[in-house]
Amino acid sequence: MVENRPWMAWITHLVLLCGVLLVAFPLWVAFVASTHAGGDLLSGVTPLLPGDRLFENYRTVLGSGLSASGGVPVGLMMWNSLVMALSIAVGKIAISIISAYAIVYFRFPFRMLCFWLIFVTLMLPVEVRILPTFEVVSDLGMLNSYAGLSVPLIASATATFLFRQFFLTVPDELTEAARVDGAGPLRFFLDILLPLSRTNVAALFVILFIYGWVQYLWPLLVTTDESFYTIVMGIQRMVTVADAEPQWHLVMATAVLAMLPPVAVVVLMQGLFVKGLVETEK
Amino acid sequence: MHKRVTFRHPLLPYLLVLPQLAITFVFFLWPASQALYYSVLRQDPFGLKTKFVGLQNFERLFSDPTYLNSFDVTIVFSLSVTLSGMALGLLFAVMADRVVKGAATYKTLLIWPYAVAPAVAGVLWWFLFNPTIGILAYALRSLGYDWNHAVSGTDALILVIVASTWKQVSYNFLFFLAGLQAIPKSLIEAAAIDGAGPARRFWTIVFPLLSPTTFFLLVVNMVYAFFETFGVVHATTSGGPGQATTILVYKVFNDGFIGLNLGSSAAQSVILMVIVISLTMIQFRFIERRVQY
């Protein structure tokens, strides 16, 4: 603080509190709605204080789902989301770290071509090639499978770039020392480079887990079998019930459950999250 | 940049890049080339015959009022999301940068919506604005405005803009905060000694020094508003009422999967690709020569 102006401090806190309220308000209302009986929500305005149906509602949602939308238990959807998010995070990190290693630590013909081919994927988000990608996945028989949910989203230029940037900062002396001691490329990668990349891997993991969890369009396309629904897209099936008002108390319970894991990751691993976000984007 | 010390191996490097290249080819390059290829073809309604039509699909799109309307909607939508999200993010970041006590708590409480899926954000605000039971619709009604996003296109567009912005504020906040913390305090102190008040210091020193962050966020937010907000629209308004919230990405999906118009959807994909590629290029050119003062 450059100078002492007490009224500025008050305004600062006031604005920040407004921000926090603005950000938290929808979550609070969703939580409150998820603790009421269905009937309470349909008569008049949404209440602002929690009701007494917390456990009943969440048990219903997790265990048996909504009958109006196929009755897929939300517990199963969360499991699918978890599998998808974890496979995307682990898969992306695994394939990008080895390809970055090859590009940085080896001289081989077509090295730059490989680099550019990977680079191009930055410019082709799934949204712009929806239909043909869907066809490929369907031709490969990967519809309604965990592989179909995760593999097409695994290639990522950002992760490869991140590792490339990091490898370039690793001192050459380490490589020389390893070579003098007789370590081959694989040994050097496993015993030196991988342990050095630990924090980067962790930060990237946090970002990619969230990326995988919030996917919407892709699961919507490749899953027609209800047992492969992910929770984020499952909510959409719950709110678009034909000719009826959605069962808001259960929809909101599902929304809260859909937000819980990634938000918990952000809040609990804030340091890694911020590091990962800043590094993947620059 | 290159490494001075490298390894030599006839096979290993190829094996290491193979998984990523294979996935890139199968799921990125091949589908993208297919989109290019389909965009110059037209299928008859029964899917029996396909013929080469050159650029006719594109010509049709640009003379199609619903497509042009979708362009307009996308521009209004993405500009609103980008500008309001960045303005709020900057406001909170400036305030959080000033705060001495509790900065970490405020940060935690402001960043979590980043982890909320766009579709879920959409459903939350859809519920808040629900014309019969939503609390915000109720508040608006008591102020004399009859909110109904199922009927009014403007209301529906505002709804998806609010939901998309709400989710993105945390992202802008984090990057602006990082940018603010990188500004040397000595500059601001010098200005204060010269008698510049907080507002003047912000507009003449802090804001210009933030310009790299601002440009970067401008591009990222445009990409977000163009592509990642599909979930917000699809889970709530489904592009309606009428075509009021049909953004370009939603239209590609709708024409391809629901309308099964292969050629048109592919041509739209190609147009979107051009948009992404130009945005990415702008971002990369800018990052290579980061604006520095």
Side-chain angles (χ1 to χ4, degrees), chain A residues 13-171:
Chain A
H13 282 284
L14 193 69
V15 171
L16 285 172
L17 279 175
C18 288
V20 169
L21 283 180
L22 172 79
V23 155
F25 181 64
L27 179 70
W28 175 251
V29 175
F31 172 73
V32 168
S34 74
T35 59
H36 281 274
D40 296 359
L41 297 179
L42 294 180
S43 53
V45 182
T46 328
L48 274 177
L49 290 173
D52 53 357
R53 298 287 297 269
L54 177 75
F55 294 105
E56 287 97 322
N57 286 348
Y58 282 86
R59 200 180 306 130
T60 315
V61 172
L62 280 169
S64 51
L66 275 70
S67 49
S69 51
V72 196
V74 172
L76 176 66
M77 291 196 224
M78 288 182 85
W79 169 251
N80 291 337
S81 287
L82 184 73
V83 172
M84 179 177 172
L86 287 179
S87 344
I88 290 178
V90 172
K92 267 196 184 201
I93 290 174
I95 68 165
S96 344
I97 200 167
I98 58 175
S99 63
Y101 177 59
I103 284 170
V104 173
Y105 278 95
F106 288 89
R107 292 280 157 276
F108 56 98
F110 308 118
R111 188 176 75 99
M112 283 323 276
L113 178 69
C114 292
F115 183 75
W116 283 105
L117 286 176
I118 293 168
F119 177 84
V120 176
T121 56
L122 264 189
M123 303 178 183
L124 302 170
V126 75
E127 285 84 0
V128 308
R129 50 189 169 83
I130 307 173
L131 208 84
T133 315
F134 174 80
E135 279 187 348
V136 168
V137 172
S138 123
D139 289 346
L140 292 173
M142 282 160 65
L143 296 181
N144 293 316
S145 71
Y146 289 128
L149 277 172
S150 48
V151 176
L153 299 176
I154 269 179
S156 141
T158 38
T160 313
F161 277 133
L162 177 69
F163 285 122
R164 175 179 171 268
Q165 295 310 95
F166 172 67
F167 290 163
L168 287 173
T169 66
V170 173

Side-chain angles (χ1 to χ4, degrees), chain B residues 7-20:
Chain B
F7 292 102
R8 276 189 185 285
H9 198 284
L11 198 62
L12 192 59
Y14 295 104
L15 287 178
L16 292 175
V17 288
L18 186 70
Q20 180 144 23

